[in-house]
Amino acid sequence: MLHIPQGATGEALPFQEALEAALRPSPDYDVERWLYVPNTYGEYRYILGTRGKKPLICVGINPSTAAPDALDPTLQSAQRVALSNGYDSFLMFNVYAQRATRPDDMEPFCNGELHRENRAAFRYLLSLSGQPAVWAAWGNIIEKRDYLMDCMRDFAADGQDAGACWFTAGPLLKSGHPHHPLYLRRDTKLLEFDIAAYLRR
């Protein structure tokens, strides 16, 4: 199934409001196992992942069609890599929250309100661990829109404030970007990633 955006994202649901709804019991999935914010399918998604005591925050570019109990191949790979590296759960986050199966379909300009609420979502994920582990997993797709790197700088600043440790799965691509999860082996090892040096390059 493809997800093609129906236009500009418009007004964004406040993350805190979406989170409160996602923490309440749902007839559609087990909220004790899944964190899904917002908890209904829409034009954007802040968070999708599993709950645990030692989560790995995986940062991609933008969400597609995945939902609880219906992970797409990218999220299936992300979960496998997280578990093989000693984490008990994974939390998928994205540099930009707009759903688009094809990154070329992302809106051409950043929705500042959506980015602000997405940033609140990232800060929430960082708060779940004493020393958050963040996996940079966006591949070359970060070059699709000029605003994506600007968004990433904000998340890097939030990670620094939270004392986050950044990782990449395997060595960097020739382009200097970290690998996208889709075609990684399940036993790919996480390596330390200097996010500050990456953003300065």
Side-chain angles (χ1 to χ4, degrees), residues 134-174:
V134 184
W135 170 16
W138 48 78
N140 293 324
I141 305 171
I142 200 165
E143 298 181 1
K144 289 289 185 179
R145 294 289 184 268
D146 291 341
Y147 59 78
L148 294 172
M149 195 63 82
D150 291 333
C151 292
M152 191 60 244
R153 290 187 178 91
D154 287 339
F155 299 129
D158 293 335
Q160 182 175 11
D161 290 343
C165 295
W166 288 79
F167 300 93
T168 182
L172 297 175
L173 299 167
K174 291 181 180 179

Side-chain angles (χ1 to χ4, degrees), residues 46-65:
Y46 298 127
I47 301 168
L48 173 59
T50 52
R51 297 178 181 275
K53 294 182 179 180
K54 188 182 178 183
L56 177 63
I57 303 168
C58 179
V59 181
I61 284 298
N62 72 294
S64 183
T65 60

